Amino acid sequence: MKRKRIPNKKWAAPVLGLALVLPAALPAQAATPAQAAVKSIEFVGMNAPAGAQQMAQVYTGASVKVTYGDGTVKTFPLAYKQLFKSTDSVGGTIAGVSVDANGKPIMDTSAPNNPVPYVSDAPDANSLFQVPGMSPTSLGGNPLSLVTHYEYITSNNAGDSAYGLVPASMSLTKIDQNKTTGELTPVELQKVDFSGVDGLWIPCNGSLTPWNTHLGSEEYEADARAYEADPTQTYLSSFVQNYYQDTTKKGNPYDYNYIVEVSVDQDNKASAVKHYSLGRFSHELAKVAPDGKTVYFGDDGGNTMLFMYVADKAQDLSAGTLYAAKWIQTSAANGGSANLEWISLGHATDDEIRAEIDKGLTFSDIFETSDKPADGFATIKTYPSGKTEYLKLKPGMEKAAAFLESRRYAAMLGATSEFNKMEGVTLNAKDKKAYIAMSYVEKSMEKDSKGADPVDDIHVDKISSGVTYELSLGGGQKDRSGEAIASDYVPQTMKGLLWGEDLSAPDAKGDTAADDKVANPDNLSYSEQLRTLFIGEDSGMHANNYVWAYNIDTGKLSRILSTPSGAEATGLQAVEDLNGFSYVMSNLQHPGDEMIVPDPLKTEVLNNIDANFNNRKSGVVGYVSGIPSMEQIAAAAPEESGGGQISSPADDSLIPLRDTAQAAGAKVDWHGKNKEVVVTKGTHTLRLNVGEKTALLDGKSVSLPVVTQFSKGKVMFPSGVWDQFAKL
């Protein structure tokens, strides 16, 4: 995501409306009194920072306002909680330290007589989750796991750029969740070992899979064509020599730029694999649909592409089919809109592609090249070269091209390669929508008025401040060749949902995009319960980057977090009802970098940032607290508001709880250590333990006619109680 490190990129920003009102998770017009208990949920936004002190802080002044059916109002104030700075030591390990293949810190020797470890100032993706069976923390709370990316190191100790030259990293932090307050406290931290997969290349954003693993990323791939011609034209040699602490190491560009899956076991140990069959390009992140098979990607850079992967088996990303989209434009306004046609690049397994890499393949083993148009050569223009190329596939190299040179091969087949700065991706499962952030809608996405490019599929109106797009998903789709696509979550259309407002001249803080709207959207995360799209900025057009909450039903927008000037808002993750508490994970990286604030205000802001963030060497890992879970909203409801009630029924027959609840659209969480089941349906939560004859409905005790029990590996629950709960 880092702006200035990527050649030929102009960095600008998007924009959108302020104070946000969210409709009730259970709308007021619902039939039963219990459903009418919550009338509306509103994010009350905060003002933009005023003055040098606020501009140098990470903070929130926002709140959540819940209005119940009887008019009673409950306000939940939000707060930003810092877990740790990237320069902090947690349990004896520096959070953002860069480590070599042996797990030892990589030393920065740029300042004579003062060797220090390289430490990242750029924490990025977060995945906070609970692993069943993990032992309690020393603080006595619920044990949680947090995987965090450290995208790069901005500069070395002498002040020179270190971007891409030093291997990046991830950390796994054991978190204590206070059982009463929900407060999160880091207990111990370890670096994730990537020595089995050749190290980790520039990990940008990430996501949590439906099966509770973390999907990381490797973006801004080294151009294998450029590397073969002159290895000094890429970061690769420096990267591998630092990682292996071996100055003779050459490196292979095809070892990098894949999706990385990190699994955590009940002993809080992490293991990592790279999924080569998901294709090689500038992976911003991967997001998995509810089917556990369909995967969507961000592809960061200029002249990039929209890819989709459909795995052969649910919850197994080791084999599948890779697709690329053709944009068939229907409108140029407000980011544009289009129908999407999908082109199959082929099927592969991770092992097949790894075997191709191990052969030592080079770019020239896959393609013939020409320096001008020629018979049999396709004319394309894609990232990372950004130049018009004339390529011909060598015989038998289809699979290698599809998965090692995914963008070039897809362009040769006719897929659209004109997207610009395609960043975050998230999903709205209920409405079958995906959302994608295009940070800067300009350059290759504008009309090719000179007729210089090979194709001009995308020719939309320029919005330098960017657009967040909505994609409609569906089943029964076929690819361009007429073959059925084995997914019910195939994007069919794409249109602008939120777009920025570019200013004709900078304002007093240096903003070149309207400050009360989103500018340059990047991280995205969606709350199913709150019907809210959270948006984090990476803007070169806002003096301060913000996190926003956008209600997809009302179209209202609220600013809920401000980061220090020059910092990017990263690590965005909406976490819902985790042991009865909800959070929005949100980090910041490189505070004070690339500031657009004019002097003399800039000097004052920088002085404050230096004091707050270790002379601009520290990024921050943290979260927005105070966002109410559905359980907390229900528990705070007044008695007269129509909250759900369950009597003790005579029917003591038992039903399989998970199967029944999921069929009714409820969410089911199993906490194995204490044999607890949590069922969430709308604003109502049912908690029960196997072997007990009571349950908690929205925090209140309910007697059961018979104990909950295990039978043939399933939790069996009284059907009469379930029937009443399902009607609430």
Side-chain angles (χ1 to χ4, degrees), residues 6-335:
I6 308 307
N8 301 319
K9 303 290 177 293
K10 178 182 178 184
W11 301 87
V15 180
L16 259 148
L18 200 68
L20 162 60
V21 176
L22 298 177
L26 291 176
Q29 65 268 27
T32 69
Q35 288 175 316
V38 176
K39 183 178 180 181
S40 67
I41 304 173
E42 174 185 356
F43 275 85
V44 180
M46 57 184 276
N47 293 327
Q53 287 191 346
Q54 284 191 338
M55 293 177 70
Q57 297 175 5
V58 53
Y59 72 99
T60 178
S63 62
V64 177
K65 175 183 172 183
V66 178
T67 303
Y68 294 92
D70 66 348
T72 301
V73 173
K74 172 71 173 177
T75 299
F76 297 84
L78 305 184
Y80 184 76
K81 301 286 189 178
Q82 176 180 297
L83 288 172
F84 50 83
K85 293 179 179 176
S86 59
T87 49
D88 286 347
S89 178
V90 180
T93 301
I94 299 173
V97 69
S98 183
V99 295
D100 64 21
N102 294 313
K104 298 187 179 300
I106 300 174
M107 302 303 292
D108 177 0
T109 59
S110 60
N113 304 317
N114 185 31
V116 295
Y118 276 107
V119 178
S120 174
D121 61 340
D124 205 292
N126 288 315
S127 282
L128 180 70
F129 55 101
Q130 185 166 35
V131 178
M134 187 174 290
S135 59
T137 73
S138 58
L139 301 179
N142 298 310
L144 306 179
S145 296
L146 175 68
V147 176
T148 303
H149 292 188
Y150 302 88
E151 189 178 3
Y152 51 80
I153 295 160
T154 297
S155 61
N156 65 13
N157 205 31
D160 299 322
S161 173
Y163 182 88
L165 303 178
V166 181
S169 68
M170 294 186 198
S171 65
L172 170 61
T173 308
K174 191 169 186 177
I175 300 287
D176 177 89
Q177 181 192 45
N178 186 285
K179 293 181 179 180
T180 302
T181 66
E183 184 173 358
L184 306 179
T185 304
V187 176
E188 59 187 53
L189 181 147
Q190 57 188 284
K191 304 302 287 192
V192 179
D193 180 12
F194 289 96
S195 60
V197 290
D198 307 298
L200 180 67
W201 180 278
I202 309 179
C204 197
N205 207 341
S207 69
L208 188 66
T209 67
W211 55 95
N212 222 34
T213 61
H214 171 77
L215 290 186
S217 60
E218 295 182 303
E219 74 169 353
Y220 297 141
E221 80 270 29
D223 187 344
R225 181 177 185 176
Y227 178 80
E228 187 175 0
D230 180 2
T232 66
Q233 295 304 302
T234 72
Y235 300 134
L236 184 62
S237 294
S238 172
F239 176 94
V240 297
Q241 288 171 15
N242 276 305
Y243 186 63
Y244 291 103
Q245 295 291 287
D246 182 352
T247 58
T248 68
K249 202 77 170 169
K250 298 289 186 183
N252 181 350
Y254 293 139
D255 281 334
Y256 304 101
N257 299 103
Y258 303 98
I259 292 299
V260 182
E261 185 170 12
V262 177
S263 302
V264 180
D265 65 20
Q266 64 182 16
D267 295 323
N268 203 42
K269 301 298 182 184
S271 58
V273 297
K274 286 187 181 179
H275 287 304
Y276 304 101
S277 66
L278 271 68
R280 178 178 176 268
F281 45 93
S282 181
H283 285 290
E284 172 77 12
L285 85 165
K287 181 67 176 178
V288 183
D291 63 356
K293 295 172 52 180
T294 308
V295 187
Y296 316 100
F297 309 92
D299 184 12
D300 200 352
N303 284 99
T304 59
M305 309 186 87
L306 179 62
F307 290 97
M308 175 182 67
Y309 178 84
V310 180
D312 294 350
K313 299 177 182 178
Q315 302 187 11
D316 180 356
L317 302 182
S318 65
T321 303
L322 185 64
Y323 297 87
K326 177 83 168 177
W327 168 282
I328 304 171
Q329 187 160 308
T330 56
S331 172
N334 301 327

Side-chain angles (χ1 to χ4, degrees), residues 553-617:
D553 296 313
T554 67
K556 298 294 182 66
L557 186 73
S558 287
R559 182 192 290 109
I560 65 168
L561 185 74
S562 179
T563 66
S565 186
E568 177 185 342
T570 61
L572 194 62
Q573 181 199 12
V575 182
E576 298 181 326
D577 273 334
L578 185 55
N579 298 317
F581 300 97
S582 295
Y583 313 92
V584 171
M585 305 302 298
S586 188
N587 301 341
L588 68 92
Q589 59 180 223
H590 56 75
D593 192 34
E594 297 180 344
M595 287 178 59
I596 62 173
V597 180
D599 284 324
L601 178 60
K602 178 179 180 179
T603 300
E604 188 178 356
V605 173
L606 279 175
N607 287 338
N608 281 280
I609 288 175
D610 285 344
N612 295 337
F613 301 100
N614 191 27
N615 293 316
R616 284 171 262 171
K617 294 184 180 298

